[in-house]
Amino acid sequence: MMRIAINGMGRIGRLLFRRLIDRDDIELVAVNDIMDADNLAYLIKYDSVYGTFPGTITHQPGAIAANDKVVKAFRQDKPAALPWKDLNVDVVLECSGSFSTRAGAEQHLMAGARKVLLSTTGSNDIPLLVYGFNQHALSKEETIISPGGCMTNCSTHILYILNAIGIKSVQCNILHSYTSRQELVDAPHKQFRRGRSAAESIIPVEIDLQHSLERLLPALANKIASVSTRVPVANGAMADFTIQLQHDTSRQEINRLFATAAKNDYKGIIEYTEDPLVSLDIKGNTHSCVIDGTLTSVVGNHVKLIAWFDNEYGFTTRMIDWLPLMK
């Protein structure tokens, strides 16, 4: 049984805890975060997006008890000091966002963990591997990998499929729920817009999505531009792609391309729908992207494509998918 530890118990870390705790093939042995264990137990039990945990959650001295399992809970700000060797940890899920460089992630290896899976796009010297796209490139020798982020996991498959027709340029706007990197009330921030009240405005923010996509799809270098527009909802995202193709196409051709992909090679990764969805309908969806065929439009070689995704649940599904490959 694979032994897992989670470092960083924010939105992704807590959702992974909920999803892993009752798995038969995985043992969640420890978590680490700077917050008090009683506060952590409370936030795992009561979640404003996904509701109350369907079981029992309590805190004990140095541990969180979930159902009939006890998970050690540490409050250590230096990963190298964590007892991963003593706990025989196979993989650390690095979800703090603070150790996404190779030097940072290697602290978990120094502590005795065998491997590290980031919850974000890491530095350029860490392999960027998107499940469903290039997971076959993982070598047994690699000890630290990045699975990208939720936006990368949505976008990579879409652009790869469309590049079979030939892409001249891509403009991508990710309409995304607000995140902890924004402010509840107006406050100072080095990106001024991120400092504005997240629940009161539609807020454009700078992202580095194009950098990740160019690493994965080098043929599209200098052809991609991206922005994220944060909207006042707590969960869910809608990716709006405006793409100039090499050749004229049709709405029917584009929808058929993705409907076929969703049924075959990308089953479980891409979903295709013609239901009239809104963002709330995507909550808890496990796919990396859900193509909304009702919103596809084409003018000559200009394509507008819309894809929904649950930025938390879909992404944690991909992280869990990676674990069997990291044995």
Side-chain angles (χ1 to χ4, degrees):
M1 185 179 294
M2 179 175 278
R3 294 171 65 82
I4 300 296
I6 303 173
N7 188 59
M9 295 298 287
R11 294 295 306 155
I12 296 299
R14 295 196 299 271
L15 184 54
L16 283 166
F17 184 107
R18 282 176 160 225
R19 300 191 64 189
L20 293 176
I21 192 64
D22 290 323
R23 291 277 294 245
D24 295 330
D25 57 335
I26 290 169
E27 184 178 2
L28 182 59
V29 296
V31 298
N32 181 55
D33 196 279
I34 59 174
M35 79 174 89
D36 293 332
D38 57 346
N39 196 352
L40 176 55
Y42 171 80
L43 289 174
I44 294 172
K45 183 174 183 178
Y46 298 108
D47 190 286
S48 298
V49 172
Y50 298 107
T52 303
F53 180 76
T56 60
I57 295 280
T58 59
H59 78 278
Q60 303 174 356
I64 303 291
N67 296 335
D68 60 346
K69 299 179 180 179
V70 177
V71 179
K72 292 184 180 296
F74 301 102
R75 296 183 64 196
Q76 174 59 252
D77 60 357
K78 296 180 175 59
L82 287 161
W84 297 154
K85 182 177 181 180
D86 293 341
L87 294 174
N88 196 26
V89 170
D90 293 307
V91 179
V92 173
L93 305 180
E94 171 45 57
C95 301
S96 71
S98 299
F99 303 97
S100 57
T101 64
R102 180 167 288 277
E106 280 179 343
Q107 292 189 53
H108 293 295
L109 305 179
M110 293 167 58
R114 288 179 52 248
K115 295 185 178 181
V116 180
L117 177 65
L118 303 183
S119 68
T120 186
T121 300
S123 53
N124 288 343
D125 56 353
I126 295 175
L128 177 56
L129 303 172
V130 170
Y131 192 88
F133 174 68
N134 64 342
Q135 74 273 14
H136 58 276
L138 177 65
S139 69
K140 293 292 185 181
E141 293 73 30
E142 186 54 63
T143 55
I144 304 171
I145 68 168
S146 164
C150 59
M151 292 184 284
T152 306
N153 275 261
C154 171
S155 305
T156 300
H157 312 294
I158 290 171
L159 297 186
Y160 180 74
I161 289 170
L162 285 177
N163 203 36
I165 300 174
I167 292 175
K168 285 187 174 182
S169 65
V170 179
Q171 293 277 351
C172 180
N173 182 8
I174 309 287
L175 288 83
H176 196 292
S177 52
Y178 52 74
T179 74
S180 60
R181 293 173 63 192
Q182 294 173 252
E183 300 292 342
L184 183 61
V185 297
D186 289 357
H189 197 288
K190 63 181 180 180
Q191 292 183 24
F192 290 176
R193 288 186 174 118
R194 281 188 189 264
R196 301 297 301 278
S197 174
E200 293 295 330
S201 289
I202 297 170
I203 301 175
V205 301
E206 300 171 18
I207 56 173
D208 63 354
L209 176 61
Q210 65 268 26
H211 175 70
S212 299
L213 292 174
E214 288 176 354
R215 286 180 63 188
L216 292 160
L217 302 164
L220 297 182
N222 302 314
K223 296 181 180 180
I224 305 172
S226 63
V227 67
S228 180
T229 304
R230 302 298 164 87
V231 294
V233 297
N235 176 255
M238 188 186 86
D240 181 341
F241 296 91
T242 302
I243 302 163
Q244 185 182 22
L245 297 175
Q246 297 283 358
H247 309 287
D248 286 1
T249 185
S250 67
R251 179 176 182 269
Q252 292 76 16
E253 181 185 9
I254 297 299
N255 281 349
R256 184 168 57 250
L257 192 64
F258 284 99
T260 300
K263 290 178 181 178
N264 296 291
D265 293 345
Y266 291 86
K267 188 174 182 179
I269 305 295
I270 294 176
E271 183 178 2
Y272 177 84
T273 185
E274 293 187 1
D275 291 342
L277 300 181
V278 297
S279 63
L280 188 63
D281 302 324
I282 217 70
K283 184 169 68 174
N285 192 291
T286 59
H287 294 84
S288 295
C289 56
V290 180
I291 305 299
D292 192 327
T294 68
L295 298 175
T296 303
S297 62
V298 175
V299 178
N301 67 338
H302 288 263
V303 174
K304 171 76 75 175
L305 190 75
I306 301 297
W308 302 95
F309 61 99
D310 183 325
N311 49 292
E312 296 176 353
Y313 213 89
F315 181 66
T316 55
T317 301
R318 297 290 81 79
M319 289 188 69
I320 294 169
D321 285 342
W322 270 111
L323 294 179
L325 301 183
M326 299 185 71
K327 289 182 178 179

